Amino acid sequence: MNVTVRPIHEVPRIAAVADFFSDVWQTPRSTPPYPAEVLHSLVHAGGAVHAAYTRAGELCGAAVAVFGEPAARDVYSFVAAARTSDRGVGLAVKQAQREWALARGARTMRWTFDPLVGRNARFNLVKLGATGTEYLVDFYGPMADGVNDGDESDRLTVTWDLTADTARAEPVAPAGAVLATAPDGDPLALGADGVVHCRVPADVVKLRAADPALALRWRHAVREVFTQAFADGYAATGMSRDGWYTLTERQQHKQQKQQKRTPMQTQEKPV
């Protein structure tokens, strides 16, 4: 994608980003999800607003990041968006954020997204190689924008290792015993040794607009699988093109299980 991505500081450009976010989240520009004055304050506090522009100078993507904990080591990206008609903009924006963060000593970046949006999951987990590390139930509470209205705001936290080239290969076809059934009657979750696969609807945004009650049933079903898997020591590491998450056991959890299986060695006392 032929775009230019750069951090911005000028009030008019920041105001244009606030309008862009309003258009993406389908809110009136008079009540943007991220007001221009808030974005400007975050820049002044040491954060960054990155904007992507086409050759013609048209704004086509943006993201906002601030430093999180541990201080000076982790960056938190609390919003990123790109026009769906412009392929490659999202990747360009995230790479610009990555370069900005690395130049300031950060080593990881975190953000959240709706786990039911499969295309975002695939971008985050496969294209970027981030890892889903935390499942947050109804994180924001009720939301009234044109995209999320009427749903519960569960979010998946991902952690991106900025120091490694961690893009992942396409996940293998899901297999295993059926652990749960989806609202459409087909398998929702499959389990094999050390791996859980969980399916999400093909397009939850369209489903939410057409049948909010059904979309909410999907939300609760996926929530149950994820919260149990995360409690059992799993993390989200992949998403297939046809909507199947891959959740794998974390290395630390594997080691703990192995230690439990290995009997403690005792030294015999001399008689």
Side-chain angles (χ1 to χ4, degrees), residues 9-51:
H9 306 85
E10 308 90 342
V11 171
R13 290 187 181 275
I14 290 176
V17 167
D19 287 344
F20 178 79
F21 287 149
S22 288
D23 296 344
V24 170
W25 274 274
Q26 301 173 25
T27 65
R29 287 190 171 186
S30 58
T31 55
Y34 302 97
E37 59 270 24
V38 173
L39 298 180
H40 194 261
S41 295
L42 290 172
V43 171
H44 186 253
V49 175
H50 282 85

Side-chain angles (χ1 to χ4, degrees), residues 16-213:
V17 167
D19 287 344
F20 178 79
F21 287 149
S22 288
D23 296 344
V24 170
W25 274 274
Q26 301 173 25
T27 65
R29 287 190 171 186
S30 58
T31 55
Y34 302 97
E37 59 270 24
V38 173
L39 298 180
H40 194 261
S41 295
L42 290 172
V43 171
H44 186 253
V49 175
H50 282 85
Y53 299 95
T54 65
R55 280 184 175 181
E58 185 180 3
L59 180 63
C60 59
V64 183
V66 296
F67 275 87
E69 294 293 341
R73 299 288 291 180
D74 179 79
V75 167
Y76 190 84
S77 176
F78 71 86
V79 60
R83 292 190 314 203
T84 55
S85 59
D86 296 318
R87 294 178 62 83
V89 175
L91 181 60
V93 169
K94 293 309 291 185
Q95 291 295 356
Q97 280 191 307
R98 176 178 179 267
E99 291 172 9
W100 173 84
L102 283 171
R104 287 157 180 78
R107 293 294 177 266
T108 58
M109 182 181 293
R110 294 174 297 127
W111 61 93
T112 66
F113 72 98
D114 185 343
L116 293 191
V117 183
R119 64 180 181 275
N120 288 352
R122 189 170 176 278
F123 175 80
N124 291 329
L125 303 179
V126 178
K127 203 168 190 73
L128 295 180
T131 298
T133 51
E134 181 184 27
Y135 192 90
L136 304 164
V137 175
D138 206 17
F139 183 52
Y140 297 111
M143 301 180 71
D145 61 75
V147 175
N148 299 286
D149 191 25
D151 196 2
E152 295 175 6
S153 56
D154 289 19
R155 292 295 181 265
L156 182 62
T157 302
V158 293
T159 302
W160 189 21
D161 183 354
L162 302 176
T163 67
D165 182 9
T166 53
R168 294 190 176 97
E170 289 290 333
V172 298
V178 176
L179 303 178
T181 302
D184 61 6
D186 290 331
L188 171 73
L190 304 173
D193 186 28
V195 179
V196 171
H197 297 281
C198 182
R199 183 166 61 94
V200 295
D203 190 329
V204 71
V205 177
K206 288 183 178 179
L207 178 62
R208 192 158 42 212
D211 192 338

Side-chain angles (χ1 to χ4, degrees), residues 204-251:
V204 71
V205 177
K206 288 183 178 179
L207 178 62
R208 192 158 42 212
D211 192 338
L214 179 57
L216 191 58
R217 283 164 53 201
W218 271 97
R219 171 77 64 200
H220 293 163
V222 172
R223 176 192 295 173
E224 186 173 349
V225 173
F226 264 78
T227 52
Q228 184 60 59
F230 274 58
D232 290 342
Y234 286 71
T237 55
M239 164 59 75
S240 67
R241 289 182 182 272
D242 57 351
W244 284 90
Y245 274 98
T246 300
L247 297 102
T248 53
E249 281 189 284
R250 302 185 196 209
Q251 189 60 35

